[in-house]
């Protein structure tokens, strides 16, 4: 079946089997391998992308379900050479080690800040409860999200495409 999905504001058209998963549709698009494929069972959260601004697990979403929707991947966070505040927060607070969980964590927490610009630690931990990090112990991830919340208003990179959708 021929399928067109808007990914990061660009239509991507491909002839795929109906069983094609969104994570593979995305990763097979040139330049979009930032979305990671981990457990394949909807447990780890490495594959999280945004559909119409809401986080979804692309390893258990059929690509065919996404036609007519806007999909945002981790590549959309950086805007015009400037990191999104959530990316900057992860950098400032050393919130990643191996980085495998990071794309999903970034997209999950970007969505959180779009809906709740001043989340508590409890709200951050609840938001990322569907994502597993095997390295950091979560403390620095939570701190990074708080850093982004506190700096977002003053950072020009708050104008990334996803922030604008919020
Ligand atoms: S690869 Fe999708 S939740 Fe783990
Ligand atoms: S930084 Fe390694 S899994 Fe999270």
């Amino acid at each position: 079946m021929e399928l067109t999905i808007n990914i990061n504001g660009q239509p991507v058209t491909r002839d795929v089997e109906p069983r094609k998963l969104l994570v593979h549709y995305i990763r097979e698009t040139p330049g979009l391998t930032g979305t990671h494929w981990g457990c394949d069972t909807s447990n780890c959260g490495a594959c999280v992308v945004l559909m119409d601004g809401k986080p979804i697990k692309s390893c258990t979403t059929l690509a065919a379900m996404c036609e007519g929707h806007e999909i945002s991947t981790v590549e959309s966070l950086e805007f015009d050479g400037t990191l999104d505040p959530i990316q900057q927060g992860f950098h400032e607070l050393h919130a990643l080690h191996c980085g495998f969980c990071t794309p999903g964590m970034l997209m999950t927490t970007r969505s959180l800040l779009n809906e709740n610009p001043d989340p508590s630690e409890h709200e951050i931990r609840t938001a990322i409860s569907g994502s597993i990090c095997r390295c950091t112990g979560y403390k620095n991830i939570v701190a990074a999200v708080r850093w982004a919340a506190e700096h977002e208003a003053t950072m020009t990179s708050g104008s990334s495409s996803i922030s604008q959708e919020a």
Side-chain angles (χ1 to χ4, degrees), residues 89-134:
F90 272 60
H91 172 71
E92 299 289 340
L93 276 298
H94 311 291
L96 65 153
H97 290 185
C98 79
F100 198 81
C101 73
T102 307
M105 288 288 187
L106 289 171
M107 299 312 287
T108 299
T109 53
R110 179 66 264 163
S111 175
L112 170 67
L113 290 185
N114 287 346
E115 293 198 354
N116 179 2
D118 188 26
S120 66
E121 176 175 344
H122 178 71
E123 288 169 328
I124 295 167
R125 287 185 180 273
T126 299
I128 64 172
S129 61
S131 297
I132 295 171
C133 179
R134 295 162 182 83

Side-chain angles (χ1 to χ4, degrees), residues 3-38:
L3 195 57
T4 299
I5 301 176
N6 286 324
I7 305 178
N8 302 337
Q10 299 292 326
V12 176
T13 302
R14 187 169 305 134
D15 196 23
V16 297
E17 293 184 47
R19 64 178 179 170
K20 175 73 85 179
L21 293 168
L22 179 61
V23 65
H24 300 307
Y25 194 98
I26 291 170
R27 287 180 54 83
E28 290 165 12
T29 302
L32 295 183
T33 53
T35 301
H36 289 165
W37 181 37

